[in-house]
Amino acid sequence: MAGGFVPFGQNLQLQGGAPLVRAATFFVEKLGITKRLDGGPGLQGLMAQVLKDGNLSSIMQNPMAALTQGIQGQLGGLVAQLQGMAGGGPAGLISALTGASGLGNALGALQAAGDNLAGLTNGASGFFSMLGHAATVDMAGAGLPISAAMEAVTAPLTQAGFLGNLGGILPQVVSQVVGGTMAPDAATNFVLGQIASIGSMTAGSAGALAYGAQMHPLIATVSSVAGALAIPPTFDADGYRQEGVATAFQGVLSSIVQAAPAAAIAASLAAQIAHTAHAAVDTAAMTSLGDD
């Protein structure tokens, strides 16, 4: 525990094994009662395989890997066509396809970002970052900027349409350049535009994760304040609901929350614990056996 930080694996153990779980919920007095859903003993076979592999490659995948690799596989042949042109072909376009800052490397970066989110690399830290961001989005809702939405985070995993379209158009563009029906500069600009789009997806995902990690303590604090101020109902000896009473600490806590936020918190809490008082049931009338 060097430097006072708990190692990631130990941290997960202390949390009960998983940082995010789903729960089946039913309600009593509009208060949720939950049962944790985490797979159960039926996952032991998968667990054994993961332990054997030492990674998650047997259960996780990057759904964009085949598409990115397919386009990368085209590039060599496309460049060969261009190099067969007079003068060795348009150098700018060739560089845009396979240069250090070219399309091939941009696609590699996109796949690497997807692999990270899918838990295939970096000790699955990217996968847990994505789950953590989902918790941030769930807590903050519409309060988060669009740039931090889950769609931004998961962009490297959801580009089937974009990549499929690119893989179909790219050979046509090169064919037109070779045939003289498209100017090399126009083709180069097209490729550069695709590189920019891919770069924005990759950078946008990383930026959204970084923003969420930075802002989550603030968001969690707001949620914690609301939870600390909640006054759940109580029940008397006969089982009848009674309104709860604030503790002394809650009185102190409410004094340090500004009026407008306090009102918003109170309204949100009231909506969660509101109840309907039903009319009294005439049990005598229900159980009496009237004379026929």
Side-chain angles (χ1 to χ4, degrees):
M1 202 165 67
F5 290 98
V6 177
F8 182 60
Q10 185 180 356
N11 190 20
L12 289 182
Q13 291 174 320
L14 293 172
Q15 292 182 50
L20 179 66
V21 295
R22 296 299 182 190
T25 305
F26 64 95
F27 292 86
V28 175
E29 288 288 330
K30 292 194 175 182
L31 297 177
I33 298 177
T34 62
K35 178 181 179 181
R36 172 172 166 161
L37 302 175
D38 60 359
L43 298 184
Q44 291 179 7
L46 288 177
M47 298 296 187
Q49 185 63 50
V50 168
L51 293 174
K52 178 182 177 181
D53 295 341
N55 56 55
L56 299 174
S57 61
S58 60
I59 64 170
M60 306 294 277
Q61 65 178 1
N62 179 352
M64 299 300 104
L67 289 169
T68 54
Q69 293 169 11
I71 299 172
Q72 288 174 315
Q74 295 179 4
L75 296 181
L78 297 176
V79 167
Q81 293 180 46
L82 294 169
Q83 291 174 334
M85 298 173 63
L93 178 55
I94 293 172
S95 178
L97 290 171
T98 58
S101 301
L103 181 61
N105 283 341
L107 289 167
L110 181 67
Q111 181 175 338
D115 289 347
N116 181 49
L117 293 175
L120 299 174
T121 56
N122 302 316
S125 61
F127 175 74
F128 286 113
S129 293
M130 181 171 63
L131 289 187
H133 193 82
T136 301
V137 171
D138 186 56
M139 293 171 68
L144 281 179
I146 294 176
S147 60
M150 281 307 300
E151 289 79 6
V153 169
T154 61
L157 298 172
T158 60
Q159 299 306 314
F162 173 83
L163 293 171
N165 188 53
L166 178 59
I169 290 178
L170 203 57
Q172 299 176 29
V173 170
V174 171
S175 178
Q176 291 173 19
V177 171
V178 173
T181 58
M182 176 181 278
D185 286 349
T188 301
N189 288 335
F190 169 78
V191 174
L192 292 176
Q194 306 311 300
I195 294 171
S197 294
I198 294 170
S200 68
M201 298 169 194
T202 306
S205 176
L209 285 175
Y211 178 86
Q214 180 183 4
M215 293 295 111
H216 189 85
L218 291 175
I219 295 167
T221 300
V222 175
S223 182
S224 296
V225 169
L229 287 173
I231 306 173
T234 60
F235 297 87
D236 62 22
D238 295 322
Y240 291 103
R241 174 187 171 119
Q242 306 292 324
E243 294 302 321
V245 178
T247 65
F249 170 68
Q250 286 177 314
V252 174
L253 183 59
S254 65
S255 73
I256 65 175
V257 179
Q258 297 179 28
I265 290 172
S268 179
L269 292 172
Q272 295 177 63
I273 63 176
H275 73 290
T276 301
H278 297 285
V281 176
D282 187 348
T283 55
M286 292 176 62
T287 57
S288 63
L289 300 176
D291 296 331
D292 293 328

